Amino acid sequence: MAIKRLLYVIVGVWLMHTPGLAQTKIQVDICVYGGTSAGVIAAYTAQKLGKKALLIEPGKHLGGMSSGGLGYTDIGNKYAITGLARDFYRRVGRHYGKFEQWTFEPHVAEDIFKEYVKQGSITVLYESQLKEVKKEGNRITAIVLENAGNPSLPNTIVEAKMFMDCGYEGDLMAKAGVDYVVGREDNKDFQETINGIQVQHGHQFPDHVDPYKIPGKPESGLLWGISNASLLPAGTGDKSVQAYNYRICLSTDPANQVKITRPAGYDSTQYELLVRLFQATPEKRTLNDYFIVSRMPHQKTDINNRGGFSTDMIGMNHGYPEGSYAERQRIIKDHERYTKGLLYFYGHDPRVPKALQTEMLKYGYPKDEYTDNGNWSPQLYVREARRMVGSYVMHQANCVGAEVVKDGVGMAAYGMDSHNCQRLIIDGQVKNEGNVEVGVFGPYPIAYGSIVPKAAQCGNLFVPVCLSATHIAYGSIRMEPVFMVLGQSSAVAAAMAIDARTDIQNIDIAKLQQQLKSNPLADGKIMDILVDNDDTQHVTHTGTWITETKGGYGPSFLQANVTAATAESTVRFTPDIPKNGSYTAYLYIPKVKTLSSESKVTVFDGKNKKEVVIKASDVVVEGQTSGEWVSLGTYTLPKGTTASVELSTRQADGTVVADAVIFVPSQAGASK
């Protein structure tokens, strides 16, 4: 026995000092790789549905871009944002004392994602990056993780029934042998018109900006940031990747500032082209001419790229999507150095116009943000990396409504958007190439087939972030709230596939769609009851109303342009209340230029009527949204279709809009 015990000790010591063998094994139902907004929502959904989930984050923070500086949410149309994604923005609203809010500080977003983790009892592995994927046939059996900070430490093996790649890079998808693309398709590949090479006017240099170090002398060499590549014909596909940047959170509160200082490795020659842009545009002398400066709560910002030369580090990210972890870290550090240097340049270089310099010096890094990362975001804005080639490829026809999928498990509503991919010499002058900004027809469905691989390649992997879409369609879909929606849809589908003991390509799509609709919070509780103007079963109207298809909630809204001689018109919204209880009613008011100073609303609770007057001055629209919800008060409503909300043009002195009404249980999330 003594010899046996000694043998155990020797073997144990050997394992401790042999990292490749001293591995930890974890078994779960659903393994979620990537602690982005989609990843957190997916793991929370899985847990709420009774499946054991594990959330793996290669970094130290949760939320991806949603907590990484992108506080000015790209929405498109709030109607498209459903379920737990909508719940996220309502939690943000509660933090700021409002019903719903789409602009927020980074730490507020991360705190809310941590709330989901706590409430869902989710286990999170931080600083764990993918090393290997193990497969049998068309199914992943396990993944091997290494420590991101020290890969020589023991690995972790995760075995699961279902896997989800919720990272921005698509690493799990790629290592699983699933088809993907990087770059831009040729227009002819999917009969598109705005994919591939595009030289357009948005975020562009004015004419006659010289590209050479010594103007007019090509032999002197190119200024930093300009490629010597030749311009290919419009619509030609290539491997170029749209530019990355940081969404910059700064503060104008002197009590909450860390001074913007010269970063290590600062190189002022990177901004020579910006000096020439200043010279070419003497009429532009505010920071908002060169940055999109969006105001966040508590005197903070979400700063994004604007114009010919800004925060986008054009052409410097092409090696990122398929790069090694070390190569990506180099690119990330290059972007950080460039961006911090750009801010310092504006404040301190004597070639910067005085008005711009003075304005920049009012800003500083916020003391209370990213406190463990030098007050700088740990998340580079990876707008696009790999894109899966799955069971279905979303493309331009889907975005414009020419082709509508039947297996929709989420909606997109943002315009088809691409940042610039290259900075070239065209006709002897500097031009950016790749920017596209084209609107879509309205909220459109995203195919289930676009978040799952081809069946032969993998039967238990979901890809809700690097989903299957062409470059230009991805530009419409790739918004944080949409990623959250698709993360939830993936988790529900994963649970269904586990229960049915089948591959994810074989589940009942109609059943999935119904479950997403009937259980939006994934916990069996009522979220709200929506009555949209397009719902002919629950909406009636009298008089004259014009249907507007842009700028409202959902596909359309109704509008009445009232004059003194106009007869009264009404719109009545009649909800189907699922159970007796207390509900707060909200009316959606879209932004219109000639909104009546007052609009009359009558709320009927089944017994009594109450008139509510909506003042145009009280409708304050914040963020990238078409309008705002306005409270009509809280009422005790009976089950059924007795209650109603009626909007009237009576005594109006301008435009009256009728769009949507929601009824929210006073005890948010009351059981059905």
Side-chain angles (χ1 to χ4, degrees):
M1 288 295 293
I3 295 175
K4 194 173 184 179
R5 282 196 297 270
L6 179 61
L7 184 60
Y8 284 154
V9 171
I10 292 171
V11 172
V13 171
W14 178 57
L15 287 171
M16 288 174 63
H17 293 277
T18 310
L21 297 176
Q23 298 175 334
T24 301
K25 183 176 288 187
I26 300 173
Q27 293 181 323
V28 294
D29 294 316
I30 300 174
C31 173
V32 181
Y33 185 75
T36 60
S37 59
V40 174
I41 294 301
Y44 177 85
T45 302
Q47 288 281 121
K48 287 297 180 181
L49 295 177
K51 305 303 179 188
K52 186 177 180 181
L54 176 69
L55 180 60
I56 301 162
E57 167 50 37
K60 301 178 181 179
H61 295 272
L62 295 177
M65 282 308 302
S66 286
S67 61
L70 206 169
Y72 191 71
T73 308
D74 298 308
I75 306 167
N77 191 314
K78 289 179 180 177
Y79 178 82
I81 312 308
T82 56
L84 289 166
R86 189 184 297 172
D87 178 69
F88 171 81
Y89 295 101
R90 289 186 182 172
R91 292 189 187 207
V92 172
R94 285 199 293 273
H95 175 85
Y96 291 111
K98 295 177 66 177
F99 169 58
E100 197 175 85
Q101 184 151 320
W102 302 72
T103 59
F104 47 84
E105 301 157 273
H107 77 272
V108 171
E110 185 164 15
D111 285 347
I112 291 172
F113 287 120
K114 289 177 179 177
E115 280 180 15
Y116 282 114
V117 166
K118 183 178 180 180
Q119 292 170 6
S121 301
I122 302 166
T123 299
V124 183
L125 291 184
Y126 291 98
E127 296 187 271
S128 299
Q129 64 192 18
L130 188 64
K131 182 178 182 180
E132 183 184 352
V133 173
K134 297 179 181 292
K135 287 180 73 178
E136 291 181 6
N138 78 329
R139 294 179 74 86
I140 301 172
T141 57
I143 62 173
V144 180
L145 304 170
E146 63 183 9
N147 184 282
N150 185 359
S152 66
L153 291 175
N155 295 328
T156 299
I157 297 175
V158 180
E159 297 178 345
K161 298 170 185 174
M162 293 288 155
F163 292 83
M164 292 186 199
D165 188 340
C166 290
Y168 293 121
E169 295 83 7
D171 289 342
L172 176 52
M173 167 189 72
K175 285 185 180 293
V178 171
D179 288 344
Y180 67 86
V181 294
V182 173
R184 299 177 285 185
E185 293 84 2
D186 196 291
N187 267 333
K188 68 177 182 295
D189 292 348
F190 288 86
Q191 290 73 56
E192 297 176 307
T193 61
I194 49 175
N195 209 333
I197 300 293
Q198 299 288 325
V199 180
Q200 300 192 12
H201 297 294
H203 302 287
Q204 188 58 274
F205 281 88
D207 289 342
H208 310 305
V209 174
D210 193 287
Y212 303 111
K213 290 179 180 178
I214 300 175
K217 294 187 176 294
E219 63 273 16
S220 66
L222 297 173
L223 292 178
W224 181 90
I226 303 173
S227 168
N228 60 7
S230 299
L231 178 67
L232 297 175
T236 303
D238 68 359
K239 292 290 186 180
S240 297
V241 179
Q242 63 173 309
Y244 300 166
N245 72 343
Y246 280 93
R247 297 293 286 256
I248 310 169
C249 183
L250 299 179
S251 172
T252 56
D253 179 3
N256 189 33
Q257 284 184 345
V258 174
K259 188 177 180 181
I260 296 173
T261 56
R262 179 184 177 120
Y266 174 73
D267 181 0
S268 64
T269 65
Q270 291 186 325
Y271 315 108
E272 293 284 346
L273 195 51
L274 179 59
V275 174
R276 294 193 185 173
L277 184 59
F278 291 152
Q279 295 167 349
T281 54
E283 73 283 3
K284 294 184 176 182
R285 289 299 178 260
T286 69
L287 286 183
N288 214 43
D289 290 322
Y290 299 93
F291 304 91
I292 298 176
V293 182
S294 301
R295 302 295 171 181
M296 297 299 106
H298 298 137
Q299 296 178 247
K300 294 176 187 173
T301 66
D302 169 0
I303 294 176
N304 196 12
N305 181 83
R306 167 168 279 159
F309 192 105
S310 187
T311 62
D312 278 0
M313 202 174 179
I314 299 171
M316 304 299 175
N317 61 332
H318 293 176
Y320 185 92
E322 297 180 291
S324 66
Y325 293 132
E327 173 68 4
R328 287 178 184 169
Q329 277 303 119
R330 183 192 66 75
I331 293 171
I332 289 169
K333 286 300 180 184
D334 285 349
H335 280 71
E336 180 179 338
R337 186 183 306 109
Y338 165 81
T339 312
K340 287 180 174 179
L342 179 65
L343 300 176
Y344 178 79
F345 179 85
Y346 265 93
H348 298 87
D349 196 288
R351 294 169 295 173
V352 175
K354 190 66 176 177
L356 294 171
Q357 195 169 80
T358 300
E359 189 177 356
M360 178 56 77
L361 290 174
K362 295 177 182 178
Y363 289 91
Y365 301 124
K367 282 183 182 179
D368 60 346
E369 298 290 352
Y370 318 122
T371 55
D372 65 346
N373 198 55
N375 309 105
W376 183 257
S377 174
Q379 180 63 62
L380 178 66
Y381 194 177
V382 179
R383 289 190 171 92
E384 185 176 359
R386 298 181 177 102
R387 299 188 311 279
M388 179 171 65
V389 180
S391 298
Y392 182 85
V393 180
M394 297 291 293
H395 52 288
Q396 186 176 339
N398 299 121
C399 302
V400 300
E403 187 173 318
V404 181
V405 300
K406 302 297 183 184
D407 61 341
V409 290
M411 288 182 287
Y414 201 78
M416 291 175 285
D417 177 271
S418 173
H419 282 237
N420 280 302
C421 301
Q422 303 178 90
R423 182 174 287 144
L424 308 171
I425 305 170
I426 301 176
D427 298 330
Q429 52 196 341
V430 182
K431 291 294 177 182
N432 293 333
E433 184 278 310
N435 184 81
V436 178
E437 297 167 86
V438 177
V440 299
F441 84 102
Y444 62 90
I446 302 167
Y448 178 72
S450 71
I451 62 172
V452 299
K454 297 168 186 173
Q457 292 183 354
C458 198
N460 65 336
L461 172 67
F462 290 89
V463 187
V465 176
C466 294
L467 73 155
S468 179
T470 66
H471 159 73
I472 201 59
Y474 191 80
S476 170
I477 298 168
R478 62 165 186 85
M479 305 302 156
E480 288 291 298
V482 177
F483 287 154
M484 290 189 231
V485 170
L486 296 178
Q488 181 173 358
S489 300
S490 297
V492 175
M496 289 174 59
I498 290 172
D499 291 342
R501 298 185 180 182
T502 189
D503 284 357
I504 60 179
Q505 292 84 1
N506 300 330
I507 68 164
D508 186 332
I509 301 299
K511 184 178 177 182
L512 170 61
Q513 292 170 326
Q514 179 55 36
Q515 188 168 340
L516 291 169
K517 182 178 180 180
S518 63
N519 191 16
L521 295 174
D523 60 3
K525 294 180 179 178
I526 300 169
M527 184 175 190
D528 56 40
I529 298 96
L530 166 68
V531 186
D532 186 67
N533 68 281
D534 290 290
D535 183 353
T536 56
Q537 186 177 350
H538 296 97
V539 177
T540 58
H541 48 84
T542 65
T544 303
W545 295 89
I546 300 169
T547 300
E548 298 288 343
T549 57
K550 291 185 178 181
Y553 185 87
S556 73
F557 69 96
L558 301 175
Q559 178 173 300
N561 301 311
V562 181
T563 65
T566 303
E568 181 181 3
S569 299
T570 64
V571 175
R572 178 174 293 179
F573 301 85
T574 304
D576 190 352
I577 302 297
K579 61 178 292 185
N580 296 339
S582 178
Y583 296 83
T584 303
Y586 294 88
L587 178 69
Y588 194 78
I589 307 291
K591 290 183 287 192
V592 294
K593 292 182 180 179
T594 56
L595 188 66
S596 176
S597 60
E598 291 187 352
S599 297
K600 309 286 186 181
V601 181
T602 301
V603 181
F604 178 56
D605 65 6
K607 293 182 179 179
N608 303 301
K609 291 184 178 181
K610 178 183 177 182
E611 184 173 87
V612 180
V613 177
I614 304 296
K615 295 183 178 180
S617 57
D618 293 336
V619 182
V620 179
V621 179
E622 295 180 338
Q624 197 172 140
T625 175
S626 64
E628 290 291 343
W629 293 108
V630 177
S631 175
L632 301 176
T634 301
Y635 305 87
T636 300
L637 304 179
K639 179 180 179 180
T641 56
T642 305
S644 66
V645 169
E646 185 172 277
L647 185 68
S648 171
T649 61
R650 177 169 48 89
Q651 298 177 339
D653 57 6
T655 301
V656 176
V657 290
D659 196 345
V661 178
I662 55 172
F663 299 82
V664 181
S666 296
Q667 296 298 321
S671 297
K672 291 183 181 178

